[in-house]
Each structure stands twice: as structure tokens, then as C-alpha cells.
Amino acid sequence: MAQGSGRKPLVADKRYSKGGRGKPSAAKKPARKAPARKARKPGLLARLFARKKTRARPVPKKRGFIGLLLAPFAFAFRLAWGLTWRIGMVVCLLAGLAVAFQYARLPEVSAYLDGRTRGSVTILDREGEVFAWRGDQFGGVVTADTVSPHLKNAIVATEDKRFYRHFGISPRGVASAIRINLSEGRGPLSGHGGSTITQQAAKLLCLGKVYDPAEWKSESAYEADCRKGSLWRKGTEAIFALAMEAKYTKDEILSIYMNRAYMGGGAYGAEAAAQRYFGKSANQLNPAEGAMLAGLLTAPSTLAPTNNLQRSQDRAATVLRLMQEQGYLTAAEMQKNQDSPAELSEAAAARAGGYFADWVMDSIPDFLGDQTTEDVVIRSTLDQRLQGAAEEALKYIFENKVRSGSKAQAAIVVMSADGAVRAMVGGRRTKVSGVFNRATQAKRQTGSAFKPFVYATALELGYSPYDRVLDAKYCLNIPGSGQWCPDNYTRRFYGEVTLARALRDSLNVPAVKISEAVGRDKVSRVARDFGIDSDLAAGPALALGASESSLLEMTGAYAGILNGGSSVTPYGVSELKLVEDSEALMGASGGIGERVIRPEAAQQLVWMMEKVISGGTGQRAQIPGWQAAGKSGTTSAAKDAWFIGFTADYVAGVWMGYDDNTPLSGVTGGGLPAEIWRETMVRVHDGLTPKPLPMLEPAPIAPPPQQTRRERRRQGPQLGKELGRAVDNILRDILGN
């Protein structure tokens, strides 16, 4: 169609470009976009060590002179910081592995509550009351829930006030300890350690290392290694403490500490200490008592109340103040308990049993005593009332009858007629243990205290207390020694005397004559059978007590006279058993044995010995209202003085002298020893009803029939002379010259 016709061009014509001249233009299709790929996140090491990519490295500014000077320091700082945090990460990683290792090795908490390596011995008196302990005492397990809250609070307030807030280590406490140590002129790790309760518990556990006799020379060496304070040890201790914090609760850690800590006096743990010092369980402690136990943890041996009660009370007052400052006590409660400090129980005041407990421990097998690995209970024969009586009597005499500053010593033994020892004092210092016991360990000459065994032999052979012997100058030839002539203490002779008077006045010549007449071998045998086991003198001086013996032996021998003539073995153990057993392992360790002399002979000897006290050399031993029998003894040069005697109820022996054998000045057995004996027995018999002695007065000897004057004249003087010579010969054969 012509253009002029006015028709619109077809749409299709637009498909061609203007310059295409009839050619179609290429169709432009939209380009398809490829799906976007997420970029991978680089790993940890790649991020740490990869270089940072920057769009354009900035042109460094020109540094001034100061910048150039500081550049080396900045570089060193960046290098140090880079090394430090990397090394720190490695150390933390290794520490974490060490804690995990220790954590895996820790047992259940119950395995750590009793830390003793050996057992203990608890000694009861005759009434069943505890009066002495030996070995490592462990009273039983206590926990933070069962123990007295006052003790628990006192320990936390004293040892680690942030215990419930830290994770086993207290950086603040360590820093404070280092500051104090440096200010006091010590090394940073010397003195105060800043240890938490957890760290102290770790040390008590020896970081989990158990004592092995094959590895350690002794327990002391093992314990010394556990207490080392080197830097390495501190680090290991910290690792162990962290493992404990992860494994156990705070109260379980506190329980380990309270059960393992040594609190002086052989007591390990709170329960043993409470029983040891206060005679009660750890769950019954009041604030003053709890503060005293908590105060011991710093220096248990030095601060133990049995060593110095006042020092222990002063320390407890400080602990009470700390408890008040931390809110465990009000100001009024603190003041009340400071004004009424804790006191020791009677058993604790006895200082672990003293001489008697030492003797008991020596009398039992080692595997049940000092070396026991079990908990042993011993019921003993001790009577604490009688023990107190003996101690008071000794103190009274030395304070009132002995010159001030005297170094003289004395010992006392009190026992029943069967040999059961009721009291024992081994020296003037009565509240001690582990020292020389003069009642059992000292062997001293007995002097005239031996004479009753000479007369016991004679009575057993048929002599009468009324038989006579001539007290006159008398000498014997001793082979190898020459002539020996005994003399009386008074330097006088008394002519014909009865055996009863010879013993009453302690005459020496009659005793020697009787001993020679009956035979020294028989006298020695009777003495041994009565319990004097020491070596007895072989010569005629045997009768005068030239042999040595202990006070315990002599007192036991006198008990045999009292009980009717049977031997006695002194004993202190009535029963021994293990704590967990109901059956006893041992019964009484002594008692009455075989008969030595006839009861009639023993009773006549008691009658003779009663005259010693009622009218002889032992009159200063008289007990008002009581019959008593005994014998004094003084050795040559007065190095030893004895008095041993008995009533119907008890036998008591007293020895006095110097440890270095210095002669006593103006002291005989009938003097101060007799007075100590009397003061002891007066207190022992306080409140008892008097009983008569088991004695038998001998029948009097009938006088010879009287001759009339005519009969005498018939016999003539020659017959009288011959008869006199015959009688003299007979007496000489029997009694000697």
C-alpha cells in the first residue's frame, strides 16, 4: 500500500534495526547468573597464623626520633605477649590434663578419713573409765554434718575464711602470705604458705602417696617428705587440691581435714582430740572447746592443753575473736566464752597415764602395744582415787618435811593382796610419761626391808617368834674377804632377845645368826618364791639386804605375806581386747601363785611385823584406828631408805634416795619413807571401815620346871658346869658364835 494512504506500519517491522536494511537484529537474551557459592570458614590454626589481607598497604608514617627509640621496646613487648599467651595456653592445657589424671585416681571420700599408719591403745582404770592413751588415737569418723557447728566454724574462721568461696586455691591468700613472709625477712615460700583447707587436706593425704616400708626408711622420713615446701611441691599440691575440689564437695573436704589433722597428745582427728582433752564427743563441744581444738592446728604439740593449758586458752581466745569478726558468734557470746575458757577433763589432766601406763605398755607384747596396727583396749587395775592419794602424799611430804632444793627422789607402789597394782608413782614429777620409773626400773639395795624373809624361813621351819637369840658381838670368816662382824644401827648389843623383838628393833646380829642357822640357800629360795627375782647376795650379808631389788618386786613380796603365804606376781592388766572384738585376747597378767610358807607361819610373821609399827622402828607409820604391819630398811651409808607395809586391805611400798647414789642426810627407813607411807595410807583408807590384820599371836613358850634348893645342891656344881657347857654348844651349833 502507498504511504500516503495513512496506514500505520506493521508492528513486525520493528523487529529490524534502523540500519539493518532488511536484516533482522540478533535477539538479546538475558544472561543466566550462576548460583552463589558460600565461602568456607578457615580453621582455628589458619585464623591464628594466616596473614591479614589488606586492600592496600598503608604508607607508613615517618616516625620521629622518640618513635625510633621506642620501636625496639614495642617489638619486644609484642613478642613477649605473643609468647606469653601461647605458653599460658599450653600450661593451662597441661594443668587441666594433670587435674584430670589426679581426679581419676582419687578414691571415695571414706578411704581418706582415717589416716593413721598404726593402731592405738586405750587404757581404762578398774572402773572402766579412760585414763590413758598410747599410739595414734582415732576416736572415730566425724563429718561436717555431725560435728559440733562451733568446731566447724572455728576451723573455717581460723584456717580458711574463704573456704566455701574459692576453687581450692586462694590467689589472694597466697599473695598475702608472700607479702607477710617478705616483710618478716623470710623467703616468699618460707613461713606462711597461704594454703587453703583443701591444700592442707592434700598435704595431710601426702598427695595420695601411701606409706610403704620398702620405699621409706621410717615413718618419720615419709612424713618429712610429705611436709616439704618446694616450688614443685607447691605446684603438685595445687593440682591435687583442684582435683579434690572437682571430686568432692566442700563438706567432704572439710571432713577429710577434720579427721586427718593432728591435734596433739597423740590424737588424730576431731573426735580423738575431743575425747582426749574434754572427755566428750566432738558433736558436744561448746564454742570455747571448739575454739581450743581449732587453735591447736597451727602448732599441735606446742599448743596442746596437756603441755600448757594457759597458752592453749590464750590461743582459743584469739580464735573466738576471729569467729566473732566473721559472724559466727555475737560479741556477747565471744565474751562469755573468753571469760569461761575450756578446761581439761580429769583423764586429760593425768597426762596420758604417767608411770602406771608406761609400765602397763611395757608388760604387754609389742604387737599389742607400741607396735600395734589395731585399736586395742586395756582394762587395768589402776584406782584413780588411790593414784591421787599417793601423788598428794608425796607432794605433801616434800613440801613440808624435805628441805627446799633437795634433789632426793621417791617412789610409791600401792597394791591389793593379790598383786593388783592400784597406784604407782615413779618419781617426784608425777604428771609425766616416758621417763625413768623408779618404782619399776631402779634396782637398789633393800637393807633391813629384806629381814622379814629371813624370819619367814625360820617360822616355816618351826621356829617361834618367842624363841631367843643372843645379840652380842659376832664375827664370821668370809673366804677371800677375811673377818666380817655385823653391828647394829645403834652400835649397841642387847643380849638375849626374842625373834619378835629382833625384828621389831631391826637388830642385825640376830638376823644374821638366824639366816646362818636355817641356811642362806633356804632364805634365798623363800625370797625368790615370794617374787624377788633379782640376783641375791651369796654371803652372810644376804640377811641384811645386801641384794638389789625394785620397789615393785618388794611390795609384791610383802603382799604374799599378807595373803597368807602365797607368791604374788604384780600385775596391771585385767583384760585386753581389740576394739571390734567382744572376746578378750588376754586376761589378768598376774595374781596369786603357789604357796611359799604355811598360813600359820605367815600369820605369825604378820604379828611380828605389826610390832614394828606399834612399838618398833616403824612407829612413824602408824595409822590412827587401823592395825598395820611393815618393815623399814636403810642401806649402808644411807644411800637407800625403804618402808613397806600393809593393812588388811592394801599393801604399799615407799623408796627414797638419790639417782646418783648420794647418801641421804639424816634419813632412815623409819623416818621420811615411813611418813610418806603413812600419808599415803591415810588417804587410801579414807572412808573405809577398819579391819583387823590376819595375824596369829604365837603360844607362849612354857618356862622350864623350877628345881628345889635341895635338888640343886644334890646335883653339885660340876654337873651344873657340864650342863651349861652342853647347852652352850647346842646354841653355838644352831645360832653360831
Side-chain angles (χ1 to χ4, degrees), residues 58-360:
V59 179
K61 296 181 179 180
K62 292 184 178 180
R63 297 178 180 176
F65 179 73
I66 295 178
L68 291 174
L69 289 177
L70 294 178
F73 297 101
F75 173 77
F77 175 78
R78 289 195 301 271
L79 180 62
W81 170 247
L83 290 174
T84 300
W85 72 264
R86 286 175 173 82
I87 293 173
M89 287 191 63
V90 174
V91 170
C92 290
L93 179 62
L94 294 176
L97 292 174
V99 170
F101 176 74
Q102 290 288 3
Y103 176 92
R105 296 178 60 193
L106 290 175
E108 293 299 318
V109 67
S110 59
Y112 278 156
L113 296 180
D114 184 356
R116 298 168 302 156
T117 55
R118 294 188 296 177
S120 65
V121 179
T122 301
I123 307 178
L124 313 178
D125 64 12
R126 65 182 300 192
E127 303 298 333
E129 297 294 327
V130 176
F131 85 93
W133 298 266
R134 289 293 186 273
D136 296 345
Q137 289 292 320
F138 183 71
V141 173
V142 298
T143 67
D145 295 328
T146 61
V147 79
S148 166
H150 302 301
L151 175 59
K152 176 181 174 181
N153 295 337
I155 291 175
V156 173
T158 308
E159 296 297 308
D160 186 2
K161 64 182 179 181
R162 288 183 289 273
F163 173 66
Y164 285 100
R165 299 195 297 273
H166 61 62
F167 52 90
I169 303 172
S170 176
R172 188 189 306 179
V174 173
S176 176
I178 292 174
R179 178 181 57 80
I180 294 173
N181 292 334
L182 292 175
S183 66
E184 294 178 354
R186 296 191 296 264
L189 298 179
S190 301
H192 300 279
S195 298
T196 64
I197 286 178
T198 310
Q199 288 175 281
Q200 293 182 57
K203 184 178 294 185
L204 291 172
L205 295 172
C206 202
L207 306 185
K209 185 181 295 185
V210 180
Y211 172 68
D212 183 1
E215 181 180 356
W216 303 98
K217 293 182 179 179
S218 64
E219 291 181 36
S220 299
Y222 164 75
E223 293 174 358
D225 183 75
C226 292
R227 291 193 293 267
K228 283 184 179 178
S230 64
L231 185 60
W232 172 257
R233 188 78 179 189
K234 286 288 184 182
T236 310
E237 180 184 293
I239 294 295
F240 197 90
L242 292 172
M244 289 181 66
E245 289 279 347
K247 180 79 172 182
Y248 309 127
T249 66
K250 286 287 188 179
D251 281 348
E252 286 175 337
I253 294 171
L254 184 58
S255 298
I256 292 173
Y257 183 66
M258 287 191 296
N259 283 285
R260 284 235 169 195
Y262 180 61
M263 295 187 172
Y268 281 80
E271 182 65 21
Q275 296 287 354
R276 172 72 178 87
Y277 301 126
F278 310 123
K280 61 174 66 174
S281 176
N283 61 13
Q284 299 174 327
L285 299 177
N286 60 37
E289 293 164 341
M292 182 173 285
L293 292 191
L296 298 178
L297 296 169
T298 303
S301 298
T302 303
L303 294 174
T306 48
N307 286 339
N308 191 319
L309 180 59
Q310 183 60 51
R311 185 165 50 198
S312 185
Q313 289 174 339
D314 292 342
R315 173 62 178 164
T318 301
V319 175
L320 288 167
R321 177 178 57 78
L322 293 174
M323 293 174 69
Q324 187 271 328
E325 291 176 355
Q326 296 174 40
Y328 295 117
L329 294 175
T330 65
E333 290 171 333
M334 177 196 71
Q335 192 62 49
K336 175 184 176 182
N337 286 280
Q338 286 180 338
D339 293 341
S340 301
E343 296 286 347
L344 291 174
S345 66
E346 292 183 4
R351 178 76 184 214
Y355 299 102
F356 183 89
D358 289 345
W359 171 62
V360 165

Side-chain angles (χ1 to χ4, degrees), residues 434-466:
V435 296
F436 183 67
N437 188 341
R438 296 163 187 85
T440 61
Q441 295 174 295
K443 299 284 188 178
R444 309 296 289 248
Q445 285 191 348
T446 58
S448 294
F450 185 84
K451 288 177 181 175
F453 305 107
V454 174
Y455 292 102
T457 307
L459 294 173
E460 176 66 11
L461 294 176
Y463 281 69
S464 166
Y466 287 130

